Amino acid sequence: MTLLALGINHKTAPVSLRERVTFSSDVLDCALDSLLSQPMVQGGVVLSTCNRTELYLSVEQQENLRETLMRWLCDFHGLNEQDVRNSLYWHEDNDAVSHLMRVASGLDSMVLGEPQILGQVKKAFADSTRGHLHVSELERMFQKSFSVAKRIRTETEIGASAVSVAFAACTLARQIFESLSEVTVLLIGAGETIELVARHLREHNVSRMIIANRTQARARALADEVGAEVIGLGDINERLQEADIIISSTASPLPIVGKGMVERALKARRNQPMLLVDIAVPRDVEPEVGKLANAYLYGVDDLQAIIQHNMAQRQAAAVQAETIVAQETREFMAWLRAQSVNETIRDYRSQAEQIRDDLLSKARATLQQGADAESVLQELSWKLTNKLIHAPTKSLQQAARDGDDERLHILRNSLGLD
């Protein structure tokens, strides 16, 4: 059994590729069924966020394993393998465990130490294991990563400074608009990222917020908290002209804001500039919008520079966190190795007990036939001893014939002779 982690993220692939490899909630069960039907795959968890798509797997090793799994990923999404090959990373066993711990702790995020990823990893684990094949080693790896992330949050300052994609979006808005107290902001979506954006904007005294969401009831609680108006996605076309800033983060598979929609809004605004920040993957705003005069479009990749500016105070904490990850990875791999030898120990004990039971049954039968008890006990002890030492004796003899002093030493040690 081998533990694997493979995928793409913001470091290895642009958003144009990442958005084509995402697993939306409505295809996740189908994807897992297909993945687990592969003969070498024993268990799997799919993690798909705006910045990464990763498969965590328990597999049986075989030839061309990497090619087989990459082909499955490309076939499922209808992609050319050459488009994905150079962006795909691959980690096995120790490296896979360490990678998951780093991901769950925010050490591999675009925003170092951002807390949202832990919730996303937990949800991915819950969604992927519900109704699908469970593998104890894979489950234990995820549970361990959750505890490691918690330990890092407790023992380091990795989450001390307020940096996130949401924070970066608000920072960008404040850089372009000197004051937010006189602007209208349209937020599209009502998920966790938009919640964070709305709270950041409220802290900076934005004058007016409008929240557009497919389900207005879901957006109502957030709107009540931050003092915003709620509209439906179908209302965006006629209300877009009111917004100075548009920040969007939905799970829509298709763009919500198109070039024509923005052109009409700009005309109605008499070409007053609009800032559009698209945090979604797949993208919510058509890329062509960025070519319009007075429309300033930024995507998740564009936020990197802002995010880097806020990273300095987390670097020292990250060094400490990496030490924790290395320690916890060693401990988990030691546990994993112990699990593999436990099966061997169980087999060895079962074999010894079977030998004992067979010889004891024969001894009892001999006693019932009236044989001398002392003679029966002597024969039982002699046969039991010979049966138990037979295999180790052959191994010792073979090691001696091979001139393998190291194996001889290991065998003597195992038999309690050294």
Side-chain angles (χ1 to χ4, degrees), residues 10 35-36 50 118-119 130 201 217 241 255 357 363 371 381 389:
H10 59 283
L35 183 58
L36 294 174
C50 61
L118 178 57
R130 188 181 299 116
L201 291 173
Q241 65 191 57
D357 291 345
S381 65
I389 71 172

Side-chain angles (χ1 to χ4, degrees), residues 336-403:
L336 200 60
R337 288 190 295 270
Q339 302 315 296
S340 64
V341 80
N342 281 347
E343 184 175 350
T344 301
I345 292 170
R346 284 193 297 269
D347 291 344
Y348 182 53
R349 179 177 290 277
S350 177
Q351 181 191 63
E353 290 175 348
Q354 185 63 51
I355 292 171
R356 178 201 64 193
D357 291 345
D358 289 345
L359 292 176
L360 187 58
S361 177
K362 291 176 182 178
R364 282 173 175 159
T366 304
L367 284 171
Q368 288 174 357
Q369 293 171 2
D372 177 63
E374 182 65 27
S375 298
V376 172
L377 287 174
Q378 287 288 347
E379 184 177 6
L380 173 62
S381 65
W382 181 79
K383 286 184 176 180
L384 183 60
T385 300
N386 279 337
K387 287 276 188 180
L388 293 176
I389 71 172
H390 176 67
T393 299
K394 288 184 66 176
S395 295
L396 285 165
Q397 291 171 338
Q398 186 62 51
R401 281 194 294 270
D402 294 343

Side-chain angles (χ1 to χ4, degrees), residues 15-17 19 252-256 278 280-287 299:
V15 66
S16 58
L17 176 58
E19 66 185 0
S252 173
L254 297 173
I256 293 172
D278 187 358
V281 177
R283 287 173 281 194
D284 282 342
V285 181
E286 289 182 348

Side-chain angles (χ1 to χ4, degrees), residues 48-86:
S48 188
T49 74
C50 61
N51 286 325
R52 69 181 65 247
T53 292
E54 295 179 334
L55 308 179
Y56 292 92
L57 306 172
S58 174
V59 302
E60 292 288 348
Q61 278 287 4
Q62 66 169 46
E63 288 187 15
N64 300 319
L65 180 62
R66 183 168 184 162
E67 292 296 319
T68 301
L69 291 172
M70 182 176 69
R71 191 176 308 116
W72 175 88
L73 181 66
C74 292
D75 287 348
F76 188 87
H77 289 291
L79 297 173
N80 187 311
E81 291 180 27
Q82 294 305 318
D83 293 341
V84 176
R85 186 180 301 277
N86 293 332

Side-chain angles (χ1 to χ4, degrees), residues 240-380:
L240 190 64
Q241 65 191 57
E242 301 173 32
D244 303 293
I245 301 170
I246 299 95
I247 301 176
S248 187
S249 178
T250 77
S252 173
L254 297 173
I256 293 172
V257 178
K259 181 182 177 184
M261 188 186 298
V262 177
E263 282 181 317
R264 289 189 293 273
L266 285 169
K267 185 176 180 180
R269 290 169 58 83
R270 299 176 186 245
N271 288 315
Q272 283 184 292
M274 299 173 73
L275 167 66
L276 299 98
V277 183
D278 187 358
I279 309 175
V281 177
R283 287 173 281 194
D284 282 342
V285 181
E286 289 182 348
E288 291 76 16
V289 168
K291 299 176 182 178
L292 297 174
N294 298 311
Y296 301 94
L297 174 62
Y298 293 84
V300 286
D301 290 346
D302 298 316
L303 300 180
Q304 185 67 37
I306 299 169
I307 289 166
Q308 289 300 325
H309 180 73
N310 295 287
M311 301 305 284
Q313 55 189 312
R314 295 197 175 190
Q315 295 302 327
V319 173
Q320 186 183 356
E322 294 284 8
T323 301
I324 293 173
V325 167
Q327 174 201 342
E328 295 280 6
T329 299
R330 287 193 299 270
E331 291 182 6
F332 179 81
M333 293 307 296
W335 173 85
L336 200 60
R337 288 190 295 270
Q339 302 315 296
S340 64
V341 80
N342 281 347
E343 184 175 350
T344 301
I345 292 170
R346 284 193 297 269
D347 291 344
Y348 182 53
R349 179 177 290 277
S350 177
Q351 181 191 63
E353 290 175 348
Q354 185 63 51
I355 292 171
R356 178 201 64 193
D357 291 345
D358 289 345
L359 292 176
L360 187 58
S361 177
K362 291 176 182 178
R364 282 173 175 159
T366 304
L367 284 171
Q368 288 174 357
Q369 293 171 2
D372 177 63
E374 182 65 27
S375 298
V376 172
L377 287 174
Q378 287 288 347
E379 184 177 6
L380 173 62

